[in-house]
Amino acid sequence: MKSLMLTLTRGAIAAALTACGVASVLAADLKVGLSVSLSGPNSSLGVPYAKGMQAALAYKPEVNGRKVQLIVLDDGSDPTTAGRNARKLIEEDKVDVLMGTSGVPAAIAMAQVGKEAKVPMIGLTPILLDAAENPWVMTVAQPTQLMIDAVVERMKRNNVKTVGYIGFTDAWGDLVYNALMKAAPEAGIKVVSNERYARADASVTGQVLKIVALRPDAVMTGGAGTPGALPFLALQERGYKGGVYGQHGLINPDFVRVVGAAGQNALMPTGPVIVAEQLPDSHPTKKIATDFRAVFQKVNNAPTSDAFSAYSFDGWLVFADAASRAMKKAEPGTAEFRVALRDAIFSTKEVVGTHGVYSFKPGSLYGVDERARVIVKLDNGQWKLAP
């Protein structure tokens, strides 16, 4: 298994990449374990997650004067590997909290390990789990329903009456489809298809032919990252003239690069960070989003143009806020601290992040509201805030 560990302390970043095994790490007061897809089909999401976490550590390298150490492992876009990574991070590296990953199935695998070991997990992607049965996990991603509701509202505004659906065969595709099926009928919109494809597929021509034959007013896509571009490309090839809508799993530069002109005028929801400079000064997330962009540029020597790196940053902000309170009750590195940290996360109130304002409570995976979504349009390779 190919693995990558980045040991990050204070402002310095040391990376070691090996074919087998990982580099030794220094002792630290607090430990965060991140598993993401640095290789495989989900790497277009995983690499931004890792870069965003580097920016987060540079922005806040200590909590109450205690150093934070970040350990990053590559799950290769494989849920089974993500689960193994979570176990290693807990049993060998003794992390206080898990974070990850680049896909819903892999995030579920990590959450199950965290639940068994009683280690809190801050997810960076939507998670399809029963919150009541998984009291150790929460996520900084927006609930899929919150985002798809915004898409359906825009469809109704655009007089869409019928919509075709095409998405992944996995849990992410299910999340988007289920949210669409809940919101569309209430808006007077009929969903006429449920076509699926695997993340590793090279073509969706057959599925798109079926959709085009139904002549829907619009098409809703349920993919993510670069594989999420396939329906757009196939619809363009077939000369489809209706509206094409996406969701927040597509907000990254690799998708924009691959989709090209086929994505022109596509509408989709995202967190406000992606259009931070276009927001009014009164928007609650504008300042921290601007700070995030500045530190990301400094750490990575490149600007951020995706939504995923900002989820990592927000996850770190939520962790740091909760850890500062948990340390008043227990010492990091202990089972007591993990319980205190979990409880502190679930008592988070109005922590302002780049994607939204976070307030968690027991029995809920999510902690954002309508302040965490805007509709954007892809215009000549740039995301523009839709009117």
Side-chain angles (χ1 to χ4, degrees), residues 4-165:
L4 177 66
M5 172 184 282
L6 305 179
T7 302
L8 311 172
T9 54
R10 296 189 181 272
I13 302 174
L17 176 63
T18 59
C20 298
V22 294
S24 60
V25 298
L26 302 175
D29 295 317
L30 287 158
K31 287 187 177 182
V32 175
L34 174 69
S35 178
V36 286
S37 303
L38 300 173
S39 59
N42 287 341
S43 60
S44 65
L45 312 182
V47 171
Y49 277 135
K51 290 182 176 180
M53 202 65 80
Q54 293 175 13
L57 184 62
Y59 181 79
K60 194 171 185 63
E62 297 181 351
V63 176
N64 292 357
R66 307 288 286 273
K67 294 182 296 182
V68 185
Q69 181 183 68
L70 173 65
I71 304 166
V72 183
L73 299 179
D74 179 16
D75 63 30
S77 302
D78 176 56
T80 301
T81 303
R84 285 200 299 265
N85 283 352
R87 199 167 298 281
K88 179 192 178 300
L89 289 166
I90 293 169
E91 296 178 355
E92 298 181 24
D93 298 306
K94 310 297 183 184
V95 299
D96 296 297
V97 64
L98 294 170
M99 292 192 192
T101 177
S102 315
V104 176
I108 292 173
M110 289 185 66
Q112 294 303 315
V113 175
K115 174 184 175 181
E116 293 171 9
K118 293 183 171 54
V119 174
M121 175 177 164
I122 298 176
L124 307 178
T125 188
I127 300 176
L128 186 61
L129 287 172
D130 184 333
E133 296 180 1
N134 293 272
W136 289 87
V137 62
M138 66 295 298
T139 179
V140 291
Q142 298 92 338
T144 307
Q145 193 68 57
L146 178 73
M147 304 304 261
I148 303 307
D149 283 350
V151 175
V152 171
E153 289 169 11
R154 184 55 60 121
M155 287 181 181
K156 183 177 181 179
R157 179 173 162 181
N158 291 343
N159 297 314
V160 170
K161 301 299 182 183
T162 58
V163 59
Y165 177 75

Side-chain angles (χ1 to χ4, degrees), residues 168 197 204 223-235 250 254-260 262:
F168 286 159
Y197 67 103
V204 295
T226 51
L230 285 176
F232 293 83
L233 296 167
L235 287 164
L250 300 174
D254 284 337
F255 166 78
V256 174
R257 172 180 55 81
V258 173
V259 79

